[in-house]
Amino acid sequence: MEFLEKKFKLKEHNTNVKTEVLAGITTFMTMAYILVVNANILGDAGMDKGAVFVATAIAAFIGSMIMGLLANYPIGLAPGMGLNAFFTYTVVIAMGHTWQFALCAVFIEGLIFILLTLTNIREEIINCIPPLLKHAVTVGIGLFITFIGLVNTGIVEPGGAILTLGSMQAPLVLLSIAGLILASVLMCKNVKGAFLLSMIVTAAIGMFCGLVEFPKALVSSIPSLDPIFLKAFTVPKSEIFSLDMVVVVFTFLFVDLFDTVGCLVGVASKGNLLNEDGTLPRAKDALLSDAIATTAGAMLGTSTITCYVESSAGIAEGGRTGLTAVTTGFLFLASLFFSPIFTAIPPQATGPVLILVGVLMASSVLEINFKDPTDAIPAFLTFVMMPLAYSIAEGIVFGIISYTILKFLCGQREKVNISLVVLSILFICKFIFL
């Protein structure tokens, strides 16, 4: 215990080992879906699904452990949703490249990120974002994660013009609603471990009612990693130095950079982990964790590793230090042996937690000055574009561009630093040329 206190500074962060472990379990439970989903998505690219499952678990273990031990943040890492879809459905299927080519692009991206982190460029990007937009990012991530929860539970589904209300008579939707009510009541009563408890109870109810399958086994054998391990290095030099590789690497860089920035800022803000001036302490360590994990993930055989907004669930349970992330990491490693149990937790159990985490994060809207339109418009565009464009990165892009333009044209140029101007120009060029 003394070692944990010294390493993670638990008392300084007003937490304890029990709280951190519970938070880590909660974060893992909300992230565990990636083990199966990532294997299925990369499997569509022709990769061995069993090997991808192993690579996903090990990469998430490495990323979460580095984040916890190096940066001391309660943030879990794993292959990013959206980035894995771009990997498969754009790079491999639409552009016609091999999955080895895509892995090579991810590896190059990771190396570039390590360089950008060591030269403080990524940290400068985080620090140049005005406090106003950091609050908006927190709100946007809350809406984004709520939207994920609503869709995963079936409460909202595709239909109508774009979306529609799911069937309120469907048994799985009713199970989700029961889980939402349970989690809400436990949260309102300040029950310790409310989210974790609600997920376990909801999953158990679903299993005993025959709506969700019981785990078919307790333990499973570990598939071989050999079919995809180090295959990023088998790409011909002619493809590595091609224009397509430049475009693919840039896209991975752009999306991962601002997904990570948004997640770090939003999650740290909600956990009261930012400095008084709104900057992120130990930003370089946190960003380096992400960069190293991405590079290692590409070598193992999986798509880009990034920070997970689902970490907000663990923070809502009281997680404040890297011990939360370390716990999450060990559970990903354990999932290699106990995958039937971990993958048996249905989205109807985790979705309600994501919805309530969105409620908690949305409170940051109170920090935004809506009386000043030059503040209100960029903030609104930031948080509304995240769920609507289904991208944290695009929400940040719209917020920074609109903030820069409005402040410039409305006589408040002193509030715009040179970094914001450069980013805005780069974002506009991206829209025009890509």
Side-chain angles (χ1 to χ4, degrees), residues 35 54 97 100 108 122 126 133 174-175 200 217 225 232 265 288 308 335 340 349 361 368 397 427:
L35 290 165
V54 175
H97 293 292
Q100 292 91 336
I108 294 172
R122 292 179 81 192
I126 288 182
L133 292 184
L174 292 175
L175 176 64
I200 294 172
L225 191 61
V265 168
L288 193 58
Y308 259 60
S335 69
M361 298 193 75
I368 299 171
V397 167
F427 294 156

Side-chain angles (χ1 to χ4, degrees), residues 76-93:
L77 285 82
M81 288 297 293
L83 289 162
N84 53 9
F86 175 75
F87 180 108
T88 293
Y89 303 115
T90 299
V91 180
V92 176
I93 295 177

Side-chain angles (χ1 to χ4, degrees), residues 13-16 19-20 23 192 312-321 324:
H13 289 87
N14 194 29
T15 184
N16 55 57
T19 298
E20 294 293 302
K192 197 69 175 175
S312 306
I315 287 179
E317 286 283 29
R320 292 294 180 272
T321 75
T324 293

Side-chain angles (χ1 to χ4, degrees), residues 88-148:
T88 293
Y89 303 115
T90 299
V91 180
V92 176
I93 295 177
M95 298 177 70
H97 293 292
T98 63
W99 55 263
Q100 292 91 336
F101 176 96
L103 281 178
C104 183
V106 173
F107 180 76
I108 294 172
E109 174 213 352
L111 293 180
I112 294 174
F113 265 162
I114 291 175
L115 180 62
L116 292 177
T117 303
L118 293 176
T119 54
N120 296 325
I121 293 176
R122 292 179 81 192
E123 185 174 358
E124 175 59 28
I125 291 174
I126 288 182
N127 292 334
C128 81
I129 298 176
L132 158 77
L133 292 184
K134 287 178 178 174
H135 292 306
V137 166
T138 304
V139 177
I141 289 177
L143 296 176
F144 183 74
I145 204 169
T146 294
F147 182 59
I148 292 173

Side-chain angles (χ1 to χ4, degrees), residues 20 26 55 58 74 83 133 146 153 166 173 178 212 217 222 240 248 260 301 326 331 346:
E20 294 293 302
T26 301
I58 297 176
L83 289 162
L133 292 184
T146 294
T153 56
V173 173
V212 177
I222 302 176
I240 295 176
V248 171
T260 301
V326 167
L331 287 173

